[in-house]
Amino acid sequence: MSSDQPLLSEPDLHPVIHHRHRKSGQSRTTCLCSFDDDAAVVVVPHPPLTSDPASDDVVLASDRSFHAAFCNSTSSSSFATTDRDFCSVASQFSGQFPLECPTPRERSTRNLSWGTMELHDAHADSANANAGTIHRAAASFEISSTAAPPPPGPSQRIRHKSMQFDDVALHEDSARLIYINDPRKTNDKYEFTGNEITTSKYTFLTFLPKNLFIQFHRVAYLYFLAIAALNQLPPLAVFGRTVSLFPLLFVLCVTAIKDGYEDWRRHRSDRNENNRESLVLQFGDFRSKKWKKIQAGEVVKIFADETIPADMVLLGTSDPSGLAYIQTMNLDGESNLKTRYARQETASAVLSEACNVSGFIRCEQPNRNIYEFTANMEFNGLKFSLSQSNIVLRGCQLKNTDWIIGVVVYAGQETKAMLNSAPSPSKRSRLESYMNRETLWLSIFLFIMCLVVALGMCLWLVRHKNQLDSLPYYRKRYLNNGPDKGKKYKYYGIPMEAFFAFLSAIIVFQIMIPISLYITMELVRLGQSYFMIEDRDMFDISSGSRFQCRSLNINEDLGQIRYVFSDKTGTLTENKMEFQRASVHGKNYGSSLLVADSNAASAAAVTPERRWKLKSEIAVDSKLLTMLWKDSNRDERIAAHEFFLTLAACNTVIPIINDGGFSGCGSSEPNEDIDCIHYQGESPDEQALVSAASSYGYTLFERTSGHIVIDVNGEKLRLDVLGLHEFDSVRKRMSVVIRFPDNVVKVLVKGADTSMFSILASDSENNNSIWHATQNHLNEYSSQGLRTLVIASRDLSDAELEEWQDRYEEASTSLTDRAAKLRQTAALIECNLKLLGATGIEDKLQEGVPEAIESLRQAGIKVWVLTGDKQETAISIGLSCKLLSADMQQIIINGTSEDECRSLLSDAKAKYCVRSSSGGRRNMKCKTTAGHCELDIPNGLKSSLPKWNPGKEESTTTPLALIIDGNSLVYILEKELESELFDLATSCRVVLCCRVAPLQKAGIVDLIKSRTDDMTLAIGDGANDVSMIQMADVGVGLCGQEGRQAVMAADFAMGQFRFLKRLLLVHGHLNYQRVGYLVLYNFYRNAVFVLMLFWYILCTAFSTTSALTDWSSVFYSVIYTSVPTIIVGILDKDLSHRTLLQYPKLYCTGHRQEAYNMQLFWITMIDTVWQSLVLFYTPLFTYKDSSIDIWSMGSLWTIAVVVLVNVHLAMDINRWVLVTHCAVWGSIITTYGCMVVLDSIPAFPNYWTIYHLARSPTYWITILLIIVVGLLPRFTCKVVCQIFWPSDIQIAREAELMRKQHDRVQSRQQVSS
């Protein structure tokens, strides 16, 4: 077929050329495409015939004959339409209108939508039998998939009920009026906010009180504040009043400086943002104005690549048709371009130089929904509706458009961007909650010690009440000569003295609660995050993205994960779609694929006049090409042509052409006849389909607001776009209404098979055979892991088109239930469709996914996949990524009612002998040996856990895999079947949830969180994964093809799923081990110091006096011992990365809580008591008969306790590096240096004591004796346990050391040989 021959022309048809010229008085093109995730309808009346050279396209007569061949009955009369203006709206579906077209059988449809799922329970209803009308739904609910609801708090139990966005219906009493180009009138009546934004927390005046108020939300800070306040009272002044404030002030100042610096950066960012300038219409001319002074109602002009300063309704653009392209990266993270449109009524007005615009807009109140906008405009006497496709939001950038003009409707804090700027909910580490439990125990110890001191003092005073003036520690009266002789000397009586002793003991023992632990943990987590971010093995070269730590509070939780909930598309797969298979007119294609240019003879039947080069080559089927462009069955050719026309036209893809060659498109040889074209769209699926259509000769190369132009094998075909029904999660399909040059109007539809087969025409045996063949092909594609879509179309008669336009005009101007009425309007044309075929798109697995999943499984982690894809596709992907194995017994739950779901769950539990749990929370602890992981179930819980029946081999040896669809989850999560699902799911090794909605994903995560103590992790890459990510204990976002919403809502972000293996098995393990030891060591370090003081007080008549200087007590936890703790918490490593990755089962140590548990805490406290006794009594017995003073003894105790805790730390360090040596031994040297400085100050009572002590050998022997005796029991226990009861980590360390020694021996032998 040559380029001068008409497409599918009959021999008696001759070419006729039609020119389009615009006549005065004809209607202007109107198109309002919406990129809303809800149903958005875009309708355009018959476009104008323009004489503009740019639009003076030549339409060949082949177009006319092309459609003559397509249509079963072609109307010879031209289609006449009235001048109507239509727009799209994306308000929420209220559930009153159906989504299906009427069928020949009389029935009513029940639409129940949980999240984005749609169920159809067909039942006969003679009362509603009306063949000519749309049946009303019995019940319908909806949750928008575009805005994830905030997760519930820890104490909340999610009830997965169907929800909606807040009702933002446009009512007269709640609407706001915006007078165009009249900001004074607009703001006189309504107190609108200005455009100045504020993201900072503090001002100069509020910083101190507000920051202190926030900091003192920590109970420990209030405790230390009370301690410092008590020390200010004269009877309780144990320490110097200034010294007692130092620890708390230090912590508060460090945190305040950090918060102040962060807020200063926010102030600087706000100042830069508010002082940016844009052109605002003032006195008939556009003049520069700062953003912060822009008001609602003002008209603003934006140029290409500039940022939108406020939410604006478009009035006009540089494109005559009112089209503009924007990038919403700053708003939702998506880099793909979106299209927005100005109404033609306003576009022509702003094109004039005078730019005289007036009128008003009645719009909804500000809200957070960035995918919805409902408004009406009155302009020059005309009233028309506005939608989300007519508004550009603050923060977006103008792209590929010279300029736009718009009127501000929302400014400043009322813009949708600012309303959505709330931070992600903060999460709390599980180990930190355990730490608070132990802190409570330490508080009890503290209270007991203080009570012992108070009771001891009381008894001592009673016993020696007549000798107080002659005994040390107490006096009743002044004994010195002077005016006060004989008067009472700070003696308040025995009861008050005992009470004051209790309070004084609290002050002395205050560091029993380690205030420095909070700052230490923050610094350690910061250091750990640095090493995770800088890990080169988690750097994604393809996207250039490195690992991100967006939350510093839960690093250690990465080492205790038991459940991983993963999305499939874009998470396990690349989300880079490739067109692989096609079913056209009941025939299967795609088995023999060739690259388009590799075989010129097979690539096309004829050589086209103009060819297009895609950025990447698409494999084509030579049989399908032959059928398209050579003589073949007429019905097949017509179906194939409409099939590829639908692929090229039914989308929102934007073609981008690089003229003058195709550099960067896969070839280095320039060719003037070939242009490089690539497509940019919101969905990778759409881009793949349009690219595939181009490879088969249907190249979309031009898109405007009113028409598209397709190169059909070298011949231009201009199609007028009359309407576009966007794909949404309720209808699950997308349709476009197209007018061909011969005035034939068609509706082209594509969608999921579940929603398409119910609206197909079934009036002939041929159609039924095609239907069954296509269904078989879809099953085959799904079994191969391909993503499938069904393609269909039908002709619209003049009456149907006019009825649709009338209904649309009524729906689009409705102030209530607009989206529901628009969906009803869509159902008018999305029915009785002719099946054209189906597509199969491959979404390849990411690199390393099977290996990562296998390693996670060996580590005792259960991986559940939650996807919106078909069940067959999910199973195929599960097999290819080794999530499912051939030996697994698959339990499939596909219920269509509550009773059926209950029956399926009960049958499965009975067949595999799964016992029902008694409810409540369960704690499943994993116990591992060096070889395997197994569950260690406490005796008290064994009866409540799922059990296998030992009498059935199937239930004991066969691993189970549960596969459940979203329809079943609607009934299970809504009804009282959750416990049944929980019992069955936790007994399976793998769970696959298919066709699930975003909120259902969060419901599955909450099912595990609310019933177990296991840690959960959710990983995804799209906006539909946000609710799941925020619900899980740990959320991980992937920088994928679907924008950055998941990344912005996650705690951690990375580029590939395979990095999860390293994140958990290496960094998660190390972080947990480090932080667990850090907390225990801090408890020990402070407790041993406090207990040493306690023993001293017991020997000094319970008088709460101290042998240590005030500064030594303060510096102990702040300077003397803090640095080694931080360094070890960041750098210590029990095993190498190689070993941790080689033996994934070592990760189970986190499941067993080996690094931090209640048993370890009590053992540590017992060891602490022993070491404190050694610390106190060894110097006491050594210097018993000497004349050493109390301050010298205090100096010895200070040095001894610092040396002891540092040597204790050194015993537990696994990996010594230079920094570790400097920190540990440098801490001891620093302590000596501080003691020398403090003892050199004559004003202090300990003046010169260190110089006298250091000269004596007894001093050094005493310190050595303290270290040996104090640490001997600990050393002995460690050696015995490592020899007779080694842990997995100890065995792996020995194997690692032996491997290193073996490698050294081999290297030496090689060198010697």
Side-chain angles (χ1 to χ4, degrees):
M1 178 178 179
S2 62
S3 59
D4 58 349
Q5 293 176 335
L7 300 176
L8 291 180
S9 60
E10 300 298 332
D12 56 339
L13 292 179
H14 303 283
V16 179
I17 297 180
H18 297 267
H19 293 275
R20 295 174 177 261
H21 300 285
R22 180 171 181 173
K23 299 178 182 179
S24 60
Q26 284 187 316
S27 63
R28 291 180 294 271
T29 304
T30 304
C31 180
L32 292 158
C33 299
S34 173
F35 288 87
D36 191 21
D37 281 356
D38 297 312
V41 185
V42 184
V43 184
V44 184
H46 187 43
L49 301 179
T50 66
S51 58
D52 181 53
S55 62
D56 207 9
D57 294 316
V58 176
V59 183
L60 300 180
S62 55
D63 300 332
R64 177 183 297 272
S65 57
F66 174 75
H67 285 284
F70 273 3
C71 304
N72 295 329
S73 60
T74 306
S75 175
S76 60
S77 61
S78 176
F79 186 84
T81 60
T82 58
D83 292 344
R84 297 183 180 91
D85 298 297
F86 306 103
C87 72
S88 68
V89 178
S91 56
Q92 292 300 313
F93 182 39
S94 65
Q96 299 179 358
F97 302 98
L99 305 176
E100 301 294 342
C101 64
T103 60
R105 293 186 297 264
E106 301 298 331
R107 65 180 183 179
S108 64
T109 304
R110 175 176 180 264
N111 294 331
L112 174 59
S113 176
W114 195 102
T116 57
M117 303 307 299
E118 180 183 10
L119 303 179
H120 305 282
D121 293 335
H123 59 278
D125 190 353
S126 59
N128 291 335
N130 186 353
T133 61
I134 303 297
H135 299 285
R136 184 176 300 274
S140 56
F141 308 90
E142 178 191 352
I143 295 174
S144 172
S145 64
T146 59
S155 63
Q156 294 177 336
R157 175 71 180 96
I158 259 194
R159 298 309 304 169
H160 310 288
K161 301 297 182 184
S162 300
M163 304 166 57
Q164 284 182 271
F165 274 124
D166 295 336
D167 183 16
V168 291
L170 193 58
H171 299 285
E172 296 291 341
D173 54 348
S174 63
R176 60 161 39 182
L177 286 178
I178 304 294
Y179 293 91
I180 302 174
N181 199 24
D182 195 349
R184 179 172 299 179
K185 186 176 181 180
T186 300
N187 289 276
D188 277 348
K189 188 175 181 180
Y190 300 99
E191 295 297 329
F192 299 149
T193 62
N195 200 41
E196 185 173 5
I197 64 167
T198 303
T199 60
S200 57
K201 292 183 180 179
Y202 314 106
T203 64
F204 183 78
L205 296 178
T206 63
F207 174 74
L208 189 60
K210 193 173 182 179
N211 185 261
L212 290 177
F213 177 77
I214 293 174
Q215 289 199 61
F216 278 107
H217 274 69
R218 282 182 170 174
V219 180
Y221 286 13
L222 292 174
Y223 163 78
F224 283 99
L225 178 63
I227 295 296
L230 289 174
N231 197 69
Q232 305 306 308
L233 301 177
L236 306 176
V238 178
F239 299 126
R241 296 181 179 181
T242 304
V243 175
S244 64
L245 293 172
F246 180 80
L248 181 62
L249 289 177
F250 176 78
V251 173
L252 293 175
C253 288
V254 169
T255 307
I257 291 173
K258 177 180 71 71
D259 293 343
Y261 174 71
E262 291 178 354
D263 204 61
W264 172 79
R265 294 180 62 184
R266 295 191 194 101
H267 273 284
R268 183 179 61 180
S269 176
D270 291 346
R271 186 169 57 253
N272 294 337
E273 187 80 0
N274 291 326
N275 289 328
R276 297 173 71 174
E277 295 183 350
S278 292
L279 295 178
V280 178
L281 184 61
Q282 304 175 72
F283 308 107
D285 190 16
F286 285 101
R287 301 180 183 181
S288 182
K289 192 174 186 178
K290 290 185 177 180
W291 279 18
K292 63 182 179 182
K293 296 182 179 180
I294 295 176
Q295 295 180 335
E298 290 189 313
V299 177
V300 181
K301 188 173 186 178
I302 305 297
F303 289 96
D305 298 324
E306 289 184 352
T307 304
I308 312 298
D311 293 354
M312 306 190 310
V313 169
L314 281 179
L315 298 177
T317 72
S318 58
D319 185 84
S321 60
L323 178 67
Y325 297 103
I326 62 168
Q327 187 180 67
T328 59
M329 173 72 75
N330 295 332
L331 191 63
D332 59 12
E334 296 186 6
S335 58
N336 295 321
L337 298 183
K338 315 290 192 306
T339 52
R340 295 294 182 264
Y341 303 89
R343 292 300 302 249
Q344 286 297 312
E345 293 85 346
T346 62
S348 59
V350 301
L351 284 176
S352 62
E353 295 183 1
C355 196
N356 293 322
V357 290
S358 62
F360 67 88
I361 298 173
R362 180 181 287 108
C363 63
E364 61 193 3
Q365 294 296 327
N367 59 79
R368 298 178 60 183
N369 189 357
I370 63 175
Y371 302 101
E372 177 181 327
F373 177 68
T374 305
N376 290 329
M377 178 187 287
E378 290 191 14
F379 185 83
N380 293 340
L382 299 175
K383 182 178 180 180
F384 44 87
S385 58
L386 301 173
S387 74
Q388 182 262 348
S389 61
N390 306 119
I391 188 173
V392 289
L393 304 181
R394 180 188 179 114
C396 301
Q397 284 189 324
L398 184 64
K399 296 290 184 181
N400 293 356
T401 307
D402 293 337
W403 54 263
I404 61 172
I405 294 176
V407 58
V408 176
V409 289
Y410 305 126
Q413 300 295 136
E414 293 181 342
T415 58
K416 294 180 182 290
M418 295 305 298
L419 292 175
N420 280 278
S421 62
S424 300
S426 59
K427 297 178 181 179
R428 189 178 178 185
S429 165
R430 178 71 58 86
L431 193 145
E432 190 172 342
S433 64
Y434 293 158
M435 182 185 78
N436 292 337
R437 177 190 62 193
E438 272 68 74
T439 301
L440 178 62
W441 278 110
L442 292 177
S443 302
I444 295 173
F445 296 158
L446 176 63
F447 177 81
I448 293 174
M449 288 191 297
C450 295
L451 191 62
V452 168
V453 171
L455 291 176
M457 170 177 279
C458 183
L459 295 175
W460 195 92
L461 289 176
V462 169
R463 182 178 180 182
H464 301 91
K465 60 182 179 181
N466 297 323
Q467 303 172 299
L468 294 183
D469 289 335
S470 59
L471 293 175
Y473 311 117
Y474 294 97
R475 276 187 293 171
K476 280 188 176 182
R477 296 176 178 82
Y478 282 94
L479 300 179
N480 56 321
N481 295 325
D484 295 330
K485 185 175 182 180
K487 293 182 180 180
K488 288 187 176 180
Y489 177 80
K490 297 181 180 179
Y491 182 75
Y492 304 95
I494 293 178
M496 290 302 296
E497 287 291 342
F499 177 69
F500 288 151
F502 181 84
L503 297 180
S504 299
I506 292 178
I507 297 174
V508 173
F509 303 149
Q510 60 179 298
I511 65 170
M512 189 74 171
I513 311 298
I515 188 174
S516 61
L517 178 57
Y518 293 98
I519 289 185
T520 301
M521 289 185 69
E522 288 189 8
L523 294 176
V524 167
R525 287 167 173 165
L526 184 64
Q528 292 172 350
S529 300
Y530 170 79
F531 285 104
M532 286 192 289
I533 293 171
E534 295 299 323
D535 190 342
R536 294 183 178 179
D537 291 325
M538 292 198 298
F539 178 79
D540 184 21
I541 300 177
S542 60
S543 63
S545 58
R546 63 170 64 188
F547 184 83
Q548 300 177 37
C549 285
R550 303 179 60 86
S551 174
L552 298 179
N553 299 327
I554 55 175
N555 288 359
E556 57 272 20
D557 284 349
L558 293 171
Q560 297 177 280
I561 301 298
R562 285 301 301 270
Y563 287 88
V564 169
F565 300 91
S566 174
D567 180 36
K568 184 189 76 68
T569 304
T571 304
L572 299 179
T573 60
E574 295 181 349
N575 202 17
K576 294 180 180 178
M577 311 301 176
E578 293 184 6
F579 186 87
Q580 293 290 335
R581 306 295 293 273
S583 173
V584 181
H585 201 66
K587 292 187 177 181
N588 191 11
Y589 298 96
S591 56
S592 56
L593 296 178
L594 299 171
V595 177
D597 288 345
S598 62
N599 192 329
S602 302
V606 295
T607 303
E609 290 185 355
R610 187 175 182 86
R611 296 173 57 214
W612 303 88
K613 185 75 173 181
L614 298 172
K615 291 188 68 175
S616 58
E617 296 297 336
I618 307 295
V620 295
D621 191 316
S622 58
K623 295 180 180 179
L624 183 55
L625 278 173
T626 302
M627 188 269 289
L628 271 172
W629 306 116
K630 286 188 176 182
D631 294 336
S632 60
N633 182 279
R634 183 174 182 273
D635 291 338
E636 288 186 11
R637 293 178 63 195
I638 294 174
H641 278 283
E642 288 198 21
F643 177 87
F644 285 105
L645 272 181
T646 304
L647 297 188
C650 187
N651 56 72
T652 57
V653 168
I654 301 169
I656 299 177
I657 302 172
N658 296 332
D659 295 325
F662 49 97
S663 176
C665 297
S667 177
S668 59
E669 298 179 4
N671 191 330
E672 296 181 356
D673 296 331
I674 299 180
D675 286 340
C676 176
I677 185 171
H678 69 276
Y679 298 104
Q680 195 164 32
E682 298 183 43
S683 167
D685 299 77
E686 284 193 340
Q687 293 175 249
L689 293 175
V690 177
S691 298
S694 178
S695 296
Y696 284 94
Y698 292 79
T699 302
L700 172 68
F701 68 92
E702 181 181 332
R703 177 184 294 278
T704 68
S705 58
H707 72 272
I708 58 175
V709 182
I710 301 175
D711 185 331
V712 182
N713 201 23
E715 299 179 0
K716 290 184 180 179
L717 176 64
R718 172 173 169 146
L719 304 175
D720 297 328
V721 180
L722 304 184
L724 179 67
H725 294 266
E726 284 277 5
F727 182 92
D728 69 85
S729 55
V730 181
R731 288 168 44 250
K732 299 186 183 69
R733 54 182 174 264
M734 177 183 184
S735 61
V736 60
V737 181
I738 294 294
R739 184 193 302 279
F740 290 85
D742 56 0
N743 278 337
V744 172
V745 178
K746 284 182 176 290
V747 56
L748 310 177
V749 188
K750 67 179 181 183
D753 55 351
T754 55
S755 67
M756 291 291 290
F757 283 119
S758 60
I759 58 175
L760 295 177
S762 56
D763 53 358
S764 68
E765 184 178 347
N766 184 39
N767 287 345
N768 290 333
S769 63
I770 295 175
W771 187 93
H772 288 295
T774 305
Q775 184 67 60
N776 292 333
H777 297 158
L778 285 171
N779 294 334
E780 178 187 349
Y781 300 163
S782 298
S783 65
Q784 297 173 2
L786 303 181
R787 298 163 62 89
T788 59
L789 283 176
V790 175
I791 311 298
S793 70
R794 82 177 181 99
D795 294 340
L796 292 180
S797 66
D798 294 354
E800 289 174 325
L801 179 62
E802 186 168 359
E803 180 187 3
W804 172 66
Q805 290 176 330
D806 289 339
R807 296 291 292 272
Y808 178 80
E809 183 177 15
E810 177 185 353
S812 63
T813 55
S814 175
L815 297 183
T816 58
D817 297 332
R818 183 184 292 181
K821 295 175 182 178
L822 287 171
R823 282 196 175 96
Q824 183 187 19
T825 304
L828 290 174
I829 59 174
E830 293 177 346
C831 58
N832 298 323
L833 300 176
K834 172 189 174 184
L835 179 61
L836 301 177
T839 61
I841 301 175
E842 181 182 14
D843 189 7
K844 293 183 178 179
L845 278 178
Q846 292 183 13
E847 180 185 352
V849 167
E851 294 79 6
I853 290 179
E854 182 61 28
S855 295
L856 294 179
R857 180 179 293 165
Q858 292 180 19
I861 300 173
K862 290 188 175 182
V863 181
W864 291 16
V865 174
L866 316 177
T867 178
D869 279 342
K870 290 184 61 177
Q871 183 172 288
E872 295 82 1
T873 303
I875 293 175
S876 176
I877 293 295
L879 290 170
S880 61
C881 68
K882 296 184 180 179
L883 186 67
L884 297 173
S885 57
D887 62 335
M888 285 186 178
Q889 182 66 41
Q890 296 182 5
I891 305 174
I892 299 178
I893 307 293
N894 291 338
T896 57
S897 66
E898 180 184 353
D899 294 336
E900 185 177 356
C901 291
R902 179 180 286 108
S903 176
L904 290 172
L905 290 172
S906 300
D907 292 346
K909 290 177 64 177
K911 180 178 180 180
Y912 299 103
C913 303
V914 178
R915 292 189 179 181
S916 299
S917 63
S918 59
R921 300 176 68 88
R922 308 185 312 171
N923 187 12
M924 301 176 68
K925 296 182 179 180
C926 189
K927 181 180 180 181
T928 355
T929 63
H932 64 281
C933 281
E934 61 184 7
L935 291 175
D936 182 18
I937 304 173
N939 294 330
L941 294 178
K942 284 186 178 180
S943 60
S944 66
L945 295 179
K947 280 180 148 183
W948 301 115
N949 188 342
K952 290 189 178 182
E953 182 181 357
E954 181 183 27
S955 61
T956 57
T957 60
T958 305
L960 301 178
L962 175 63
I963 300 163
I964 187 169
D965 67 345
N967 292 0
S968 303
L969 289 176
V970 171
Y971 301 105
I972 293 174
L973 296 180
E974 291 273 358
K975 307 297 180 181
E976 301 302 324
L977 297 176
E978 287 186 342
S979 59
E980 302 288 324
L981 174 63
F982 173 78
D983 296 334
L984 184 60
T986 52
S987 302
C988 297
R989 181 179 295 181
V990 175
V991 175
L992 269 178
C993 299
C994 316
R995 296 293 197 192
V996 291
L999 202 61
Q1000 285 178 318
K1001 293 183 178 182
I1004 294 296
V1005 176
D1006 185 60
L1007 181 70
I1008 297 300
K1009 280 188 64 177
S1010 61
R1011 294 171 179 265
T1012 71
D1013 287 328
D1014 296 329
M1015 297 290 296
T1016 59
L1017 180 147
I1019 180 171
D1021 72 318
N1024 60 332
D1025 302 316
V1026 169
S1027 56
M1028 172 180 70
I1029 287 173
Q1030 292 183 341
M1031 173 61 68
D1033 295 301
V1034 179
V1036 179
L1038 293 186
C1039 309
Q1041 305 290 322
E1042 297 184 10
R1044 295 178 56 85
Q1045 295 97 322
V1047 170
M1048 293 187 288
D1051 306 301
F1052 305 95
M1054 54 190 183
Q1056 295 284 327
F1057 179 87
R1058 70 177 187 272
F1059 298 154
L1060 186 64
K1061 172 183 175 181
R1062 186 173 183 85
L1063 177 65
L1064 297 183
L1065 302 189
V1066 176
H1067 295 287
H1069 170 86
L1070 295 178
N1071 291 345
Y1072 171 70
Q1073 296 289 330
R1074 293 162 176 168
V1075 176
Y1077 180 80
L1078 169 74
V1079 175
L1080 285 175
Y1081 177 77
N1082 272 271
F1083 286 155
Y1084 150 78
R1085 184 191 66 184
N1086 285 26
V1088 73
F1089 185 82
V1090 169
L1091 287 172
M1092 182 186 67
L1093 298 179
F1094 177 69
W1095 306 133
Y1096 175 77
I1097 289 175
L1098 295 185
C1099 296
T1100 56
F1102 310 96
S1103 60
T1104 65
T1105 58
S1106 177
L1108 278 64
T1109 63
D1110 298 346
W1111 289 106
S1112 294
S1113 300
V1114 170
F1115 287 166
Y1116 173 74
S1117 59
V1118 177
I1119 296 178
Y1120 294 166
T1121 59
S1122 60
V1123 176
T1125 311
I1126 297 172
I1127 297 300
V1128 172
I1130 296 175
L1131 297 179
D1132 195 33
K1133 186 186 299 184
D1134 55 357
L1135 292 167
S1136 66
H1137 294 184
R1138 174 185 172 184
T1139 301
L1140 291 172
L1141 292 174
Q1142 186 177 359
Y1143 304 105
K1145 292 171 184 173
L1146 292 170
Y1147 185 81
C1148 291
T1149 57
H1151 298 159
R1152 296 191 299 269
Q1153 300 179 1
E1154 288 187 1
Y1156 187 89
N1157 53 57
M1158 183 66 78
Q1159 182 181 4
L1160 274 177
F1161 172 76
W1162 289 114
I1163 293 175
T1164 302
M1165 288 299 105
I1166 294 172
D1167 187 32
T1168 301
V1169 172
W1170 164 255
Q1171 292 188 30
S1172 65
L1173 289 171
V1174 173
L1175 262 172
F1176 175 74
Y1177 284 104
T1178 300
L1180 195 64
F1181 290 136
T1182 302
Y1183 289 94
K1184 180 175 60 174
D1185 298 327
S1186 68
S1187 60
I1188 187 174
D1189 66 334
I1190 194 61
W1191 299 111
S1192 298
M1193 186 68 73
S1195 178
L1196 174 58
W1197 277 326
T1198 301
I1199 292 294
V1201 70
V1202 171
V1203 174
L1204 178 67
V1205 298
N1206 277 283
V1207 175
H1208 176 108
L1209 178 65
M1211 283 179 56
D1212 296 331
I1213 293 177
N1214 298 299
R1215 179 192 181 215
W1216 285 93
V1217 293
L1218 179 61
V1219 179
T1220 310
H1221 282 287
C1222 294
V1224 174
W1225 313 124
S1227 177
I1228 298 175
I1229 297 173
T1230 301
T1231 304
Y1232 269 106
C1234 291
M1235 292 295 297
V1236 169
V1237 173
L1238 293 175
D1239 288 1
S1240 300
I1241 301 175
F1244 287 175
N1246 56 318
Y1247 178 65
W1248 220 251
T1249 55
I1250 188 69
Y1251 298 99
H1252 294 293
L1253 286 173
R1255 297 173 187 171
S1256 170
T1258 306
Y1259 171 79
W1260 302 104
I1261 294 174
T1262 302
I1263 293 176
L1264 180 61
L1265 189 62
I1266 290 172
I1267 295 172
V1268 173
V1269 177
L1271 296 179
L1272 184 61
R1274 178 178 180 82
F1275 177 79
T1276 303
C1277 290
K1278 288 189 68 171
V1279 171
V1280 171
C1281 289
Q1282 190 162 345
I1283 293 175
F1284 296 102
W1285 302 285
S1287 66
D1288 295 349
I1289 293 178
Q1290 291 168 346
I1291 294 174
R1293 279 183 59 81
E1294 291 185 8
E1296 193 175 90
L1297 293 174
M1298 292 176 64
R1299 185 177 64 240
K1300 290 181 179 178
Q1301 293 177 356
H1302 179 69
D1303 293 342
R1304 290 192 194 120
V1305 171
Q1306 281 189 338
S1307 62
R1308 290 175 183 173
Q1309 291 177 350
Q1310 291 176 357
V1311 170
S1312 61
S1313 61

